[in-house]
Each structure stands twice: as structure tokens, then as C-alpha cells.
Amino acid sequence: MYTKEKSKPNGTMPAVSIVIPVYNIGKYLEKCLDSVVAQTFPDIEIIVVNDGSTDNSPEIIARYADKDSRIVVIDKSNEGLAYARKSGIEAARGTYIYHLDGDDYLELDAIELLYRKAKEEDADMVVFPFSLDYIESGKSECSIEIAGEHFTNTEFFSAIAFSKAHWGVWSYLHKRSLYANGVTFHKGLNYGEDVFLTTQLVYFSSRISVLKSKPLLHYIIRESSITNSRFNEKKARDILLYPSLVNDFLKDKPEYGSLQKALGAIRIQANNTLLSKRWFKDARTLSQESHAILKQYPDLKRIPQIKAFHKLFTLYARSGLLGRLYAQYYICKKKIK
């Protein structure tokens, strides 16, 4: 791994480190970097982690680094998104960290507004609204409007689990000191990496604030992204794994018992993701598991993302072959999304 470091004058530390993992996204990278170098809040360092890209991303990164002394470049072999972020965090010197995917971009005053809120409220984490931009259709929609302005760690963890907030690590600014609590990364985990990392950062946060503002990030949704690319066995394993990683992290914590319903919701929604991808291989087992959780916590059916799958759980878990075939037909006709 090679790191090209640049120092601030007089050795002072930056207020915010922006960590940008990059893997073969040259088509989108310039717009991302333009939005970062033009931030109205200048006291930042920009850590760009080239995770073994084979396209023109390294050349773009080098060009921007030559023009802006705040950019730190890390070139490394490909190890996946989780370890790319880990490398960026290890190099970061800012009081706060912001994770930005290299194919997304920020509003120009985003960091200024987030940092001001963090300092005013001495927040460990500041959560903010963003927009979901669908590049194929040109449509855009706003993220969930979070009810409330201040949360404890368990309150916010439950809010995310119950689909009242977002998992994305790019949806909040947070203190770098949180990582000193022993935050870990699972190498090679791409789908669900945000869930595992966010769980840990939220747990170690004493004060979480919500910034009520315009959307500050444009989250780009494209067919070739990690989340939406062709489904395969590796992605299925990741989806099955991340709820277990979250559970294992929390199981020795004093709050574990009170978070069982939230953990159940996370497991059900992971199962739903597999079913929505037409992953019939484990469909009956997944449905039986979800059905059992809903028997214990029936009010989880009120969550729209869970309610939409309740009929499938019943068909798979209780029915014979014909019922399961009908369930597969039900999914393939896209009545479940």
C-alpha cells in the first residue's frame, strides 16, 4: 500500500477528514471530487483510497491531488469496500470523519453545515437528509424524514432497524475518536458493510443529532453499483452474514436483551432482500425464520418493508410444493419489490 501524504501548515490537524473509497468509477469520480474540493468549509483533508482500480480512476485522482494539497492518496491492492474505508480511517487526522462514496457528490455547503451542527451540540454523530438520484430515469427522491432531533445510541439503532432512518455511512458526520473503542471491519464484505459499521459507530455514540436541512448528498443509484449489480452467491452470503455480525457485536453488551426486536427486524429485512432478488435456494428456510420472528414480534408487520413480504413468509413456511411454486411466481411477477 502506498500513501502520498501532505501536511497542513504548522502541523495543525484538519477539522474534518473526508474518506473516499474508489474502485473503477472513473466515469463518476470527477463530479464527486469537484464537489469536495469546492466545499465552503475549507478545513478538510480529502483521503482518496484507490482500491486497486483498473480503469482511469488513478489518473483522475493523481490529477486532482496535484492541484489540491488537501488530498491524500492511498493506492492499495483490491480488498473490498470495508478495507478501503479502513485504510482511509487509519490515515485520517481530522476531529470528524465523513465517508463519501466515489460515485456520489455533495452539496457545496454540506460539510460546513454538518460541522457547525456537530460543534454546536457537541454531537458524536450528525445525521442529515440526502437525495436518491436514479441516473437511468433521471428521477430523484428524498431520504426518510427522521422524526426527532436528538437520540441516544439505542434509540437511533432501533430507528434504523425499524426503517425510520438509514444505515448508510454516507448519511452522517461522526467523531474520529469513536474508532478508538475497537470498531472492526469484515474483509470482503460489500453488501451489508454499512449496516455493520454503522451499528458499531452508533453504539459508541453518546449523542446523536439530526440536522434538519435540504438534502446535502446526492446518492447515485446505477445498475452497475455493488448494491444493484448482478446477484450471485457471494452477495447472498454477505446478506446472510451481516445480521449475524451485528448480533455478535451486540450480544455481550448490556443493552442486548432490549434490542431483540430490532435485531429481528434486521434479520427479516435481510431475508426480504434475498427473496426480492429471487433467491429461491434458501427461500423456505428464510421464510420460516422470518415467520418465527413475526410470531414473537407481530407488530413488526407494520413496517412497510416487512408487511409486503408477509404473505410470502406464510406461503413458503407453511405450504407444500404448490404453495412454494406460487410464491416464486408471485415474486417473479414483481408484486414484491
PDB file of all heavy atoms in Angstrom, residues 232-266:
ATOM      1  N   ASN A 232     -25.393 -12.800  -7.065  1.00  0.00           N
ATOM      2  CA  ASN A 232     -24.604 -14.023  -7.118  1.00  0.00           C
ATOM      3  C   ASN A 232     -24.457 -14.631  -5.731  1.00  0.00           C
ATOM      4  O   ASN A 232     -24.950 -14.086  -4.742  1.00  0.00           O
ATOM      5  CB  ASN A 232     -23.216 -13.736  -7.731  1.00  0.00           C
ATOM      6  CG  ASN A 232     -22.486 -12.614  -7.011  1.00  0.00           C
ATOM      7  OD1 ASN A 232     -22.535 -12.508  -5.785  1.00  0.00           O
ATOM      8  ND2 ASN A 232     -21.803 -11.772  -7.767  1.00  0.00           N
ATOM      9  N   GLU A 233     -23.776 -15.757  -5.662  1.00  0.00           N
ATOM     10  CA  GLU A 233     -23.613 -16.486  -4.404  1.00  0.00           C
ATOM     11  C   GLU A 233     -22.871 -15.654  -3.362  1.00  0.00           C
ATOM     12  O   GLU A 233     -23.219 -15.680  -2.176  1.00  0.00           O
ATOM     13  CB  GLU A 233     -22.837 -17.782  -4.663  1.00  0.00           C
ATOM     14  CG  GLU A 233     -22.732 -18.700  -3.467  1.00  0.00           C
ATOM     15  CD  GLU A 233     -23.976 -19.556  -3.263  1.00  0.00           C
ATOM     16  OE1 GLU A 233     -24.641 -19.895  -4.249  1.00  0.00           O
ATOM     17  OE2 GLU A 233     -24.274 -19.858  -2.092  1.00  0.00           O
ATOM     18  N   LYS A 234     -21.857 -14.908  -3.787  1.00  0.00           N
ATOM     19  CA  LYS A 234     -21.098 -14.070  -2.842  1.00  0.00           C
ATOM     20  C   LYS A 234     -21.999 -13.030  -2.201  1.00  0.00           C
ATOM     21  O   LYS A 234     -21.957 -12.802  -0.981  1.00  0.00           O
ATOM     22  CB  LYS A 234     -19.949 -13.386  -3.593  1.00  0.00           C
ATOM     23  CG  LYS A 234     -19.244 -12.265  -2.822  1.00  0.00           C
ATOM     24  CD  LYS A 234     -18.543 -12.762  -1.568  1.00  0.00           C
ATOM     25  CE  LYS A 234     -17.644 -11.699  -0.932  1.00  0.00           C
ATOM     26  NZ  LYS A 234     -18.353 -10.501  -0.472  1.00  0.00           N
ATOM     27  N   LYS A 235     -22.821 -12.379  -2.988  1.00  0.00           N
ATOM     28  CA  LYS A 235     -23.707 -11.362  -2.445  1.00  0.00           C
ATOM     29  C   LYS A 235     -24.730 -11.993  -1.506  1.00  0.00           C
ATOM     30  O   LYS A 235     -25.059 -11.420  -0.455  1.00  0.00           O
ATOM     31  CB  LYS A 235     -24.406 -10.607  -3.579  1.00  0.00           C
ATOM     32  CG  LYS A 235     -25.183  -9.395  -3.105  1.00  0.00           C
ATOM     33  CD  LYS A 235     -25.750  -8.598  -4.270  1.00  0.00           C
ATOM     34  CE  LYS A 235     -24.657  -7.866  -5.013  1.00  0.00           C
ATOM     35  NZ  LYS A 235     -25.210  -6.953  -6.043  1.00  0.00           N
ATOM     36  N   ALA A 236     -25.220 -13.164  -1.862  1.00  0.00           N
ATOM     37  CA  ALA A 236     -26.165 -13.861  -0.983  1.00  0.00           C
ATOM     38  C   ALA A 236     -25.515 -14.175   0.360  1.00  0.00           C
ATOM     39  O   ALA A 236     -26.132 -14.016   1.420  1.00  0.00           O
ATOM     40  CB  ALA A 236     -26.654 -15.145  -1.652  1.00  0.00           C
ATOM     41  N   ARG A 237     -24.265 -14.619   0.348  1.00  0.00           N
ATOM     42  CA  ARG A 237     -23.563 -14.921   1.600  1.00  0.00           C
ATOM     43  C   ARG A 237     -23.392 -13.660   2.443  1.00  0.00           C
ATOM     44  O   ARG A 237     -23.526 -13.696   3.662  1.00  0.00           O
ATOM     45  CB  ARG A 237     -22.195 -15.548   1.307  1.00  0.00           C
ATOM     46  CG  ARG A 237     -22.256 -16.971   0.783  1.00  0.00           C
ATOM     47  CD  ARG A 237     -20.912 -17.673   0.948  1.00  0.00           C
ATOM     48  NE  ARG A 237     -19.821 -16.937   0.321  1.00  0.00           N
ATOM     49  CZ  ARG A 237     -19.429 -17.097  -0.935  1.00  0.00           C
ATOM     50  NH1 ARG A 237     -20.070 -17.961  -1.720  1.00  0.00           N
ATOM     51  NH2 ARG A 237     -18.426 -16.395  -1.427  1.00  0.00           N
ATOM     52  N   ASP A 238     -23.089 -12.525   1.793  1.00  0.00           N
ATOM     53  CA  ASP A 238     -22.951 -11.264   2.518  1.00  0.00           C
ATOM     54  C   ASP A 238     -24.257 -10.884   3.207  1.00  0.00           C
ATOM     55  O   ASP A 238     -24.262 -10.426   4.358  1.00  0.00           O
ATOM     56  CB  ASP A 238     -22.542 -10.142   1.563  1.00  0.00           C
ATOM     57  CG  ASP A 238     -21.063 -10.173   1.201  1.00  0.00           C
ATOM     58  OD1 ASP A 238     -20.332 -11.027   1.750  1.00  0.00           O
ATOM     59  OD2 ASP A 238     -20.639  -9.357   0.365  1.00  0.00           O
ATOM     60  N   ILE A 239     -25.364 -11.052   2.494  1.00  0.00           N
ATOM     61  CA  ILE A 239     -26.669 -10.690   3.054  1.00  0.00           C
ATOM     62  C   ILE A 239     -27.019 -11.585   4.236  1.00  0.00           C
ATOM     63  O   ILE A 239     -27.581 -11.127   5.238  1.00  0.00           O
ATOM     64  CB  ILE A 239     -27.756 -10.753   1.967  1.00  0.00           C
ATOM     65  CG1 ILE A 239     -27.499  -9.659   0.925  1.00  0.00           C
ATOM     66  CG2 ILE A 239     -29.156 -10.588   2.562  1.00  0.00           C
ATOM     67  CD1 ILE A 239     -28.345  -9.773  -0.314  1.00  0.00           C
ATOM     68  N   LEU A 240     -26.679 -12.845   4.153  1.00  0.00           N
ATOM     69  CA  LEU A 240     -26.914 -13.755   5.277  1.00  0.00           C
ATOM     70  C   LEU A 240     -25.976 -13.463   6.444  1.00  0.00           C
ATOM     71  O   LEU A 240     -26.319 -13.696   7.606  1.00  0.00           O
ATOM     72  CB  LEU A 240     -26.721 -15.210   4.818  1.00  0.00           C
ATOM     73  CG  LEU A 240     -27.778 -15.764   3.867  1.00  0.00           C
ATOM     74  CD1 LEU A 240     -27.344 -17.122   3.327  1.00  0.00           C
ATOM     75  CD2 LEU A 240     -29.131 -15.887   4.580  1.00  0.00           C
ATOM     76  N   LEU A 241     -24.802 -12.920   6.136  1.00  0.00           N
ATOM     77  CA  LEU A 241     -23.775 -12.714   7.158  1.00  0.00           C
ATOM     78  C   LEU A 241     -23.989 -11.458   7.989  1.00  0.00           C
ATOM     79  O   LEU A 241     -23.807 -11.482   9.216  1.00  0.00           O
ATOM     80  CB  LEU A 241     -22.399 -12.653   6.487  1.00  0.00           C
ATOM     81  CG  LEU A 241     -21.202 -12.316   7.392  1.00  0.00           C
ATOM     82  CD1 LEU A 241     -21.039 -13.367   8.489  1.00  0.00           C
ATOM     83  CD2 LEU A 241     -19.933 -12.188   6.561  1.00  0.00           C
ATOM     84  N   TYR A 242     -24.364 -10.340   7.366  1.00  0.00           N
ATOM     85  CA  TYR A 242     -24.288  -9.087   8.117  1.00  0.00           C
ATOM     86  C   TYR A 242     -25.223  -9.026   9.328  1.00  0.00           C
ATOM     87  O   TYR A 242     -24.839  -8.447  10.358  1.00  0.00           O
ATOM     88  CB  TYR A 242     -24.433  -7.865   7.202  1.00  0.00           C
ATOM     89  CG  TYR A 242     -25.815  -7.513   6.729  1.00  0.00           C
ATOM     90  CD1 TYR A 242     -26.753  -6.920   7.573  1.00  0.00           C
ATOM     91  CD2 TYR A 242     -26.189  -7.705   5.403  1.00  0.00           C
ATOM     92  CE1 TYR A 242     -28.009  -6.562   7.127  1.00  0.00           C
ATOM     93  CE2 TYR A 242     -27.441  -7.354   4.943  1.00  0.00           C
ATOM     94  CZ  TYR A 242     -28.346  -6.780   5.809  1.00  0.00           C
ATOM     95  OH  TYR A 242     -29.588  -6.424   5.365  1.00  0.00           O
ATOM     96  N   PRO A 243     -26.435  -9.620   9.314  1.00  0.00           N
ATOM     97  CA  PRO A 243     -27.213  -9.609  10.562  1.00  0.00           C
ATOM     98  C   PRO A 243     -26.518 -10.386  11.683  1.00  0.00           C
ATOM     99  O   PRO A 243     -26.637 -10.020  12.860  1.00  0.00           O
ATOM    100  CB  PRO A 243     -28.532 -10.284  10.159  1.00  0.00           C
ATOM    101  CG  PRO A 243     -28.610 -10.114   8.681  1.00  0.00           C
ATOM    102  CD  PRO A 243     -27.197 -10.223   8.207  1.00  0.00           C
ATOM    103  N   SER A 244     -25.783 -11.436  11.329  1.00  0.00           N
ATOM    104  CA  SER A 244     -25.043 -12.200  12.332  1.00  0.00           C
ATOM    105  C   SER A 244     -23.889 -11.383  12.905  1.00  0.00           C
ATOM    106  O   SER A 244     -23.596 -11.456  14.102  1.00  0.00           O
ATOM    107  CB  SER A 244     -24.514 -13.506  11.724  1.00  0.00           C
ATOM    108  OG  SER A 244     -25.577 -14.326  11.288  1.00  0.00           O
ATOM    109  N   LEU A 245     -23.210 -10.607  12.059  1.00  0.00           N
ATOM    110  CA  LEU A 245     -22.140  -9.748  12.545  1.00  0.00           C
ATOM    111  C   LEU A 245     -22.677  -8.708  13.522  1.00  0.00           C
ATOM    112  O   LEU A 245     -22.053  -8.427  14.558  1.00  0.00           O
ATOM    113  CB  LEU A 245     -21.455  -9.051  11.369  1.00  0.00           C
ATOM    114  CG  LEU A 245     -20.647  -9.933  10.421  1.00  0.00           C
ATOM    115  CD1 LEU A 245     -20.167  -9.119   9.216  1.00  0.00           C
ATOM    116  CD2 LEU A 245     -19.462 -10.562  11.132  1.00  0.00           C
ATOM    117  N   VAL A 246     -23.822  -8.129  13.200  1.00  0.00           N
ATOM    118  CA  VAL A 246     -24.444  -7.151  14.093  1.00  0.00           C
ATOM    119  C   VAL A 246     -24.819  -7.808  15.419  1.00  0.00           C
ATOM    120  O   VAL A 246     -24.559  -7.267  16.501  1.00  0.00           O
ATOM    121  CB  VAL A 246     -25.687  -6.528  13.419  1.00  0.00           C
ATOM    122  CG1 VAL A 246     -26.488  -5.691  14.416  1.00  0.00           C
ATOM    123  CG2 VAL A 246     -25.279  -5.684  12.221  1.00  0.00           C
ATOM    124  N   ASN A 247     -25.428  -8.989  15.331  1.00  0.00           N
ATOM    125  CA  ASN A 247     -25.817  -9.706  16.542  1.00  0.00           C
ATOM    126  C   ASN A 247     -24.603 -10.046  17.403  1.00  0.00           C
ATOM    127  O   ASN A 247     -24.617  -9.867  18.628  1.00  0.00           O
ATOM    128  CB  ASN A 247     -26.564 -10.982  16.167  1.00  0.00           C
ATOM    129  CG  ASN A 247     -27.095 -11.719  17.379  1.00  0.00           C
ATOM    130  OD1 ASN A 247     -28.135 -11.370  17.932  1.00  0.00           O
ATOM    131  ND2 ASN A 247     -26.386 -12.741  17.820  1.00  0.00           N
ATOM    132  N   ASP A 248     -23.540 -10.530  16.777  1.00  0.00           N
ATOM    133  CA  ASP A 248     -22.330 -10.906  17.520  1.00  0.00           C
ATOM    134  C   ASP A 248     -21.688  -9.695  18.196  1.00  0.00           C
ATOM    135  O   ASP A 248     -21.144  -9.815  19.302  1.00  0.00           O
ATOM    136  CB  ASP A 248     -21.323 -11.575  16.589  1.00  0.00           C
ATOM    137  CG  ASP A 248     -21.762 -12.955  16.141  1.00  0.00           C
ATOM    138  OD1 ASP A 248     -22.722 -13.498  16.742  1.00  0.00           O
ATOM    139  OD2 ASP A 248     -21.169 -13.486  15.179  1.00  0.00           O
ATOM    140  N   PHE A 249     -21.748  -8.536  17.541  1.00  0.00           N
ATOM    141  CA  PHE A 249     -21.188  -7.326  18.145  1.00  0.00           C
ATOM    142  C   PHE A 249     -21.966  -6.931  19.406  1.00  0.00           C
ATOM    143  O   PHE A 249     -21.378  -6.501  20.402  1.00  0.00           O
ATOM    144  CB  PHE A 249     -21.207  -6.176  17.143  1.00  0.00           C
ATOM    145  CG  PHE A 249     -20.925  -4.840  17.753  1.00  0.00           C
ATOM    146  CD1 PHE A 249     -19.631  -4.500  18.145  1.00  0.00           C
ATOM    147  CD2 PHE A 249     -21.946  -3.927  17.960  1.00  0.00           C
ATOM    148  CE1 PHE A 249     -19.366  -3.266  18.738  1.00  0.00           C
ATOM    149  CE2 PHE A 249     -21.693  -2.691  18.547  1.00  0.00           C
ATOM    150  CZ  PHE A 249     -20.399  -2.370  18.934  1.00  0.00           C
ATOM    151  N   LEU A 250     -23.279  -7.091  19.372  1.00  0.00           N
ATOM    152  CA  LEU A 250     -24.120  -6.609  20.471  1.00  0.00           C
ATOM    153  C   LEU A 250     -24.349  -7.632  21.577  1.00  0.00           C
ATOM    154  O   LEU A 250     -24.767  -7.263  22.678  1.00  0.00           O
ATOM    155  CB  LEU A 250     -25.485  -6.169  19.917  1.00  0.00           C
ATOM    156  CG  LEU A 250     -25.491  -4.908  19.048  1.00  0.00           C
ATOM    157  CD1 LEU A 250     -26.832  -4.743  18.372  1.00  0.00           C
ATOM    158  CD2 LEU A 250     -25.159  -3.675  19.885  1.00  0.00           C
ATOM    159  N   LYS A 251     -24.078  -8.897  21.319  1.00  0.00           N
ATOM    160  CA  LYS A 251     -24.525  -9.936  22.249  1.00  0.00           C
ATOM    161  C   LYS A 251     -23.904  -9.864  23.639  1.00  0.00           C
ATOM    162  O   LYS A 251     -24.505 -10.356  24.605  1.00  0.00           O
ATOM    163  CB  LYS A 251     -24.303 -11.321  21.632  1.00  0.00           C
ATOM    164  CG  LYS A 251     -22.866 -11.735  21.465  1.00  0.00           C
ATOM    165  CD  LYS A 251     -22.803 -13.109  20.810  1.00  0.00           C
ATOM    166  CE  LYS A 251     -21.358 -13.567  20.603  1.00  0.00           C
ATOM    167  NZ  LYS A 251     -21.304 -14.873  19.897  1.00  0.00           N
ATOM    168  N   ASP A 252     -22.741  -9.261  23.772  1.00  0.00           N
ATOM    169  CA  ASP A 252     -22.138  -9.136  25.101  1.00  0.00           C
ATOM    170  C   ASP A 252     -22.350  -7.750  25.702  1.00  0.00           C
ATOM    171  O   ASP A 252     -21.774  -7.417  26.744  1.00  0.00           O
ATOM    172  CB  ASP A 252     -20.641  -9.451  25.051  1.00  0.00           C
ATOM    173  CG  ASP A 252     -19.857  -8.483  24.173  1.00  0.00           C
ATOM    174  OD1 ASP A 252     -20.506  -7.739  23.396  1.00  0.00           O
ATOM    175  OD2 ASP A 252     -18.615  -8.467  24.266  1.00  0.00           O
ATOM    176  N   LYS A 253     -23.204  -6.928  25.067  1.00  0.00           N
ATOM    177  CA  LYS A 253     -23.480  -5.593  25.560  1.00  0.00           C
ATOM    178  C   LYS A 253     -24.687  -5.627  26.501  1.00  0.00           C
ATOM    179  O   LYS A 253     -25.607  -6.446  26.326  1.00  0.00           O
ATOM    180  CB  LYS A 253     -23.766  -4.640  24.395  1.00  0.00           C
ATOM    181  CG  LYS A 253     -22.700  -4.626  23.303  1.00  0.00           C
ATOM    182  CD  LYS A 253     -21.383  -4.088  23.806  1.00  0.00           C
ATOM    183  CE  LYS A 253     -20.388  -3.851  22.677  1.00  0.00           C
ATOM    184  NZ  LYS A 253     -19.928  -5.087  22.013  1.00  0.00           N
ATOM    185  N   PRO A 254     -24.731  -4.751  27.494  1.00  0.00           N
ATOM    186  CA  PRO A 254     -25.847  -4.763  28.453  1.00  0.00           C
ATOM    187  C   PRO A 254     -27.200  -4.475  27.825  1.00  0.00           C
ATOM    188  O   PRO A 254     -28.242  -4.875  28.370  1.00  0.00           O
ATOM    189  CB  PRO A 254     -25.461  -3.674  29.467  1.00  0.00           C
ATOM    190  CG  PRO A 254     -24.420  -2.838  28.788  1.00  0.00           C
ATOM    191  CD  PRO A 254     -23.701  -3.753  27.845  1.00  0.00           C
ATOM    192  N   GLU A 255     -27.225  -3.813  26.679  1.00  0.00           N
ATOM    193  CA  GLU A 255     -28.497  -3.473  26.022  1.00  0.00           C
ATOM    194  C   GLU A 255     -29.027  -4.597  25.137  1.00  0.00           C
ATOM    195  O   GLU A 255     -30.095  -4.449  24.536  1.00  0.00           O
ATOM    196  CB  GLU A 255     -28.310  -2.214  25.161  1.00  0.00           C
ATOM    197  CG  GLU A 255     -27.831  -0.987  25.919  1.00  0.00           C
ATOM    198  CD  GLU A 255     -26.313  -0.900  26.007  1.00  0.00           C
ATOM    199  OE1 GLU A 255     -25.632  -1.873  25.622  1.00  0.00           O
ATOM    200  OE2 GLU A 255     -25.817   0.153  26.446  1.00  0.00           O
ATOM    201  N   TYR A 256     -28.316  -5.681  25.040  1.00  0.00           N
ATOM    202  CA  TYR A 256     -28.643  -6.739  24.075  1.00  0.00           C
ATOM    203  C   TYR A 256     -30.089  -7.235  24.214  1.00  0.00           C
ATOM    204  O   TYR A 256     -30.810  -7.367  23.227  1.00  0.00           O
ATOM    205  CB  TYR A 256     -27.674  -7.900  24.243  1.00  0.00           C
ATOM    206  CG  TYR A 256     -27.849  -9.037  23.265  1.00  0.00           C
ATOM    207  CD1 TYR A 256     -27.713  -8.844  21.898  1.00  0.00           C
ATOM    208  CD2 TYR A 256     -28.146 -10.330  23.719  1.00  0.00           C
ATOM    209  CE1 TYR A 256     -27.859  -9.894  20.999  1.00  0.00           C
ATOM    210  CE2 TYR A 256     -28.298 -11.383  22.831  1.00  0.00           C
ATOM    211  CZ  TYR A 256     -28.160 -11.159  21.471  1.00  0.00           C
ATOM    212  OH  TYR A 256     -28.301 -12.197  20.597  1.00  0.00           O
ATOM    213  N   GLY A 257     -30.524  -7.485  25.425  1.00  0.00           N
ATOM    214  CA  GLY A 257     -31.878  -8.005  25.634  1.00  0.00           C
ATOM    215  C   GLY A 257     -32.947  -7.057  25.140  1.00  0.00           C
ATOM    216  O   GLY A 257     -33.951  -7.492  24.555  1.00  0.00           O
ATOM    217  N   SER A 258     -32.737  -5.764  25.338  1.00  0.00           N
ATOM    218  CA  SER A 258     -33.741  -4.782  24.939  1.00  0.00           C
ATOM    219  C   SER A 258     -33.757  -4.532  23.436  1.00  0.00           C
ATOM    220  O   SER A 258     -34.672  -3.875  22.931  1.00  0.00           O
ATOM    221  CB  SER A 258     -33.500  -3.460  25.676  1.00  0.00           C
ATOM    222  OG  SER A 258     -32.259  -2.883  25.275  1.00  0.00           O
ATOM    223  N   LEU A 259     -32.773  -5.057  22.722  1.00  0.00           N
ATOM    224  CA  LEU A 259     -32.669  -4.817  21.283  1.00  0.00           C
ATOM    225  C   LEU A 259     -33.086  -6.019  20.442  1.00  0.00           C
ATOM    226  O   LEU A 259     -32.877  -6.032  19.233  1.00  0.00           O
ATOM    227  CB  LEU A 259     -31.233  -4.419  20.922  1.00  0.00           C
ATOM    228  CG  LEU A 259     -30.746  -3.078  21.485  1.00  0.00           C
ATOM    229  CD1 LEU A 259     -29.266  -2.872  21.176  1.00  0.00           C
ATOM    230  CD2 LEU A 259     -31.562  -1.912  20.934  1.00  0.00           C
ATOM    231  N   GLN A 260     -33.683  -7.014  21.073  1.00  0.00           N
ATOM    232  CA  GLN A 260     -34.029  -8.230  20.339  1.00  0.00           C
ATOM    233  C   GLN A 260     -35.013  -7.989  19.201  1.00  0.00           C
ATOM    234  O   GLN A 260     -34.873  -8.562  18.122  1.00  0.00           O
ATOM    235  CB  GLN A 260     -34.584  -9.283  21.305  1.00  0.00           C
ATOM    236  CG  GLN A 260     -33.547  -9.893  22.221  1.00  0.00           C
ATOM    237  CD  GLN A 260     -32.402 -10.515  21.443  1.00  0.00           C
ATOM    238  OE1 GLN A 260     -32.599 -11.456  20.681  1.00  0.00           O
ATOM    239  NE2 GLN A 260     -31.201  -9.986  21.626  1.00  0.00           N
ATOM    240  N   LYS A 261     -36.000  -7.141  19.428  1.00  0.00           N
ATOM    241  CA  LYS A 261     -36.967  -6.867  18.350  1.00  0.00           C
ATOM    242  C   LYS A 261     -36.284  -6.151  17.191  1.00  0.00           C
ATOM    243  O   LYS A 261     -36.553  -6.468  16.024  1.00  0.00           O
ATOM    244  CB  LYS A 261     -38.144  -6.052  18.877  1.00  0.00           C
ATOM    245  CG  LYS A 261     -39.212  -5.812  17.815  1.00  0.00           C
ATOM    246  CD  LYS A 261     -40.555  -5.410  18.409  1.00  0.00           C
ATOM    247  CE  LYS A 261     -40.517  -4.022  18.966  1.00  0.00           C
ATOM    248  NZ  LYS A 261     -41.882  -3.547  19.327  1.00  0.00           N
ATOM    249  N   ALA A 262     -35.408  -5.206  17.499  1.00  0.00           N
ATOM    250  CA  ALA A 262     -34.682  -4.508  16.442  1.00  0.00           C
ATOM    251  C   ALA A 262     -33.798  -5.468  15.656  1.00  0.00           C
ATOM    252  O   ALA A 262     -33.729  -5.409  14.420  1.00  0.00           O
ATOM    253  CB  ALA A 262     -33.840  -3.380  17.044  1.00  0.00           C
ATOM    254  N   LEU A 263     -33.138  -6.377  16.363  1.00  0.00           N
ATOM    255  CA  LEU A 263     -32.303  -7.371  15.683  1.00  0.00           C
ATOM    256  C   LEU A 263     -33.159  -8.303  14.817  1.00  0.00           C
ATOM    257  O   LEU A 263     -32.745  -8.705  13.722  1.00  0.00           O
ATOM    258  CB  LEU A 263     -31.510  -8.179  16.709  1.00  0.00           C
ATOM    259  CG  LEU A 263     -30.389  -7.406  17.417  1.00  0.00           C
ATOM    260  CD1 LEU A 263     -29.884  -8.193  18.626  1.00  0.00           C
ATOM    261  CD2 LEU A 263     -29.246  -7.107  16.459  1.00  0.00           C
ATOM    262  N   GLY A 264     -34.346  -8.631  15.298  1.00  0.00           N
ATOM    263  CA  GLY A 264     -35.265  -9.435  14.491  1.00  0.00           C
ATOM    264  C   GLY A 264     -35.679  -8.726  13.220  1.00  0.00           C
ATOM    265  O   GLY A 264     -35.760  -9.334  12.142  1.00  0.00           O
ATOM    266  N   ALA A 265     -35.924  -7.425  13.324  1.00  0.00           N
ATOM    267  CA  ALA A 265     -36.298  -6.643  12.140  1.00  0.00           C
ATOM    268  C   ALA A 265     -35.165  -6.618  11.119  1.00  0.00           C
ATOM    269  O   ALA A 265     -35.399  -6.702   9.912  1.00  0.00           O
ATOM    270  CB  ALA A 265     -36.672  -5.220  12.556  1.00  0.00           C
ATOM    271  N   ILE A 266     -33.928  -6.511  11.610  1.00  0.00           N
ATOM    272  CA  ILE A 266     -32.779  -6.516  10.704  1.00  0.00           C
ATOM    273  C   ILE A 266     -32.677  -7.846   9.979  1.00  0.00           C
ATOM    274  O   ILE A 266     -32.450  -7.905   8.768  1.00  0.00           O
ATOM    275  CB  ILE A 266     -31.483  -6.222  11.488  1.00  0.00           C
ATOM    276  CG1 ILE A 266     -31.495  -4.793  12.010  1.00  0.00           C
ATOM    277  CG2 ILE A 266     -30.249  -6.458  10.618  1.00  0.00           C
ATOM    278  CD1 ILE A 266     -30.400  -4.487  13.013  1.00  0.00           C
TER     279      ILE A 266
END
